Amino acid sequence: MWPDAVTRLSRHALTMFPPPFKAKVVEPISLRSPEARRSALADAGYNTFLLRSEDVFIDLLTDSGTSAVSQEQRAAMELGDEAYAGSRSFFRLEQAVRDLYGFRHVIPTHQGRGAEHLLARLLVRPGQLVPSNLYFTTSRAHVELAGGVWVDVAVPEACDPTDAHPFKGNIDLPALVRVLREAERDGIAFVRQEACVNMAGGQPFSIANLRAVRAVTREQGVPLILDATRISENAVFIKDREPGWNDEPLPALIRAIAAESDGAIFSSKKDHFVPIGGVLAVNDDRLAERARELVVVYEGFPHYGGLAGHDMEALAQGIRESADERTVRHYVGQVAYLGRLLADAGVPIVVPVGAHGVFLDAKRFLPQIPQEQFPAQALAAAVYLAGGVRSMERGIVSGQHGEEPYDGLELVRLTLPRRVYGEEHLRYVAETIISLLDHAEKIPGLRMAYAPEYLRFFQARFEPLAPFPDPATWATVRGATAPRRRSARAEGRSRPRAADRRRTSA
Ligand code: P61
């Protein structure tokens, strides 16, 4: 049992409780000079994905594959069985997935999108719909490459950064029912519900909502597939926010969530603490058989699916650690702490603070930049210039669909790797961003100079429409926790939502 006092601290995040681990191996990091950051950013085409990590001081680009492995994971890696077929490491991984999540069939993949690819090829036929709570970039891309049509059925609160709804990862049931009823016979490939919806700020769903979705999909004979990449944090939010679940042990709750679905994909690079790996897990025998037929074409033999034996050992151990409540609580507590530092200083962020990062609301931070000039991309560039902190755009660059107009969320994600940074790092990050508030009106918009055909945000290049202010003159660090007047930027609401919601009337 986690002592009460500690639970309280993690919930009311201005004092963090100590992490349930300590460092044994460290990696040096250093802050480049303002001039060096300017030139690194220009070389990267003002896209933080294209920065070299040696030019980054605090790397909050992603929690994907960037967490610290445990000593138990490292020890397990020594046991890696690199047999091409029948590897002992595969069977240990299979057991770990079955034990925690209860799925019968386990197909390893090189990472999450490998599992998404298999799933889309297995379940999606041209013209079929995939209703989902919002979207994720790679998930949607694979569905569309298979000829499917993505349909957003998230609750409307998901796209309002100022709405403190506790379960913004819920599916809008009337909208889902409408889509299912209006679809042609056999017109739905599957329904997808993502734990801690990434694009809305890491927002959880409730068990009640998942169960209702399950009932509706069962009635219609449509598979319900979880994106369970961040299921552990979702389970902790359920414990804290949904009546009746507070005393449930975390592993039992995670299993109860998984039991409401027909299958799941995992990017194991997040909750499972591994640098690489993913899983497709299903209950249906025939679907699993077909997945094993396909995995040999795209990933490798079904007993490794693109992973080395030592990767599967680290993953099996990581799965067990992902259900450790102290570890998960510490992580969401860290994210909440950073959110609190920023919100208290008047920085406009998405509320409630979600699972894996604090999301800045660029529409309120930089109201002078119209969305066609990529305010979140510009803000991510400015955050790097200000203090060597790397973040990620989650706005029009990531979310616009082809040439369709986009006026949806415009966010910058400050994502925390698991078990990596400490309180001093978080305070530095907060101070860097708070220092930007005073210079926000000088940050210029951008022009996109190059956009690749698929998932453009990864490799697009930009040019500033006016010079960025000189970071040497703006990085006045103030106390991150010093009381500060709430800025007008923090008070304003951002524009209503979202032409990116692709409801169908078919
Ligand atoms: C991330 F900018 N997420 O959040 P893979 N489902 C979910 C994910 O969060 C996810 C995948 C599937 C990443 C990496 C990333 O637009 C981006 O193991 C809920 O990355 O293949 C990945 O899993 C895919 C960053 C992916 C992005 C796509 O940072």
Side-chain angles (χ1 to χ4, degrees), residues 104-316:
R104 273 219 303 285
H105 299 287
V106 179
I107 291 114
T109 58
H110 75 283
Q111 59 184 85
R113 70 199 74 176
E116 291 173 331
H117 177 214
L118 295 181
L119 190 74
R121 286 198 169 249
L122 288 168
L123 292 184
V124 180
R125 286 199 309 282
Q128 282 187 315
L129 310 180
V130 177
S132 171
N133 51 349
L134 224 61
Y135 71 98
F136 190 68
T137 54
T138 53
S139 327
R140 180 168 72 183
H142 281 297
V143 163
E144 289 177 351
L145 286 168
V149 179
W150 198 268
V151 187
D152 174 19
V153 287
V155 290
E157 292 87 348
C159 284
D160 181 351
T162 64
D163 192 313
H165 190 297
F167 290 111
K168 288 168 144 184
N170 281 354
I171 282 182
D172 182 340
L173 278 174
L176 176 64
V177 168
R178 212 174 316 123
V179 172
L180 296 184
R181 291 233 173 94
E182 289 173 5
E184 288 163 11
R185 210 175 123 76
D186 216 15
I188 308 285
F190 62 96
V191 172
R192 170 185 178 277
Q193 190 152 10
E194 181 183 325
C196 290
V197 179
N198 203 343
M199 301 302 280
Q203 306 294 336
F205 55 67
S206 67
I207 288 249
N209 182 258
L210 178 66
R211 285 188 168 157
V213 171
R214 172 71 155 168
V216 170
T217 50
R218 259 213 179 117
E219 197 185 294
Q220 302 283 325
V222 170
L224 171 58
I225 304 293
L226 286 179
D227 184 324
T229 296
R230 296 185 179 85
I231 192 173
S232 299
E233 293 84 9
N234 202 121
V236 162
F237 286 128
I238 287 172
K239 275 186 78 129
D240 287 353
R241 298 179 189 174
E242 192 166 0
W245 293 99
N246 191 256
D247 293 330
E248 191 76 358
L250 195 64
L253 179 48
I254 290 173
R255 200 181 169 100
I257 297 171
E260 296 296 338
S261 71
D262 297 298
I265 73 102
F266 297 81
S267 166
S268 293
K269 302 173 71 170
K270 285 78 168 174
D271 278 1
H272 299 157
F273 307 102
V274 284
I276 197 74
V279 175
L280 170 62
V282 294
N283 287 325
D284 183 82
D285 297 342
R286 176 65 190 132
L287 191 63
E289 193 179 305
R290 289 177 54 224
R292 290 194 194 100
E293 285 165 16
L294 267 190
V295 81
V296 294
V297 182
Y298 293 108
E299 300 282 322
F301 196 73
H303 291 166
Y304 72 87
L307 298 174
H310 59 77
D311 294 332
M312 290 190 285
E313 293 288 355
L315 176 47

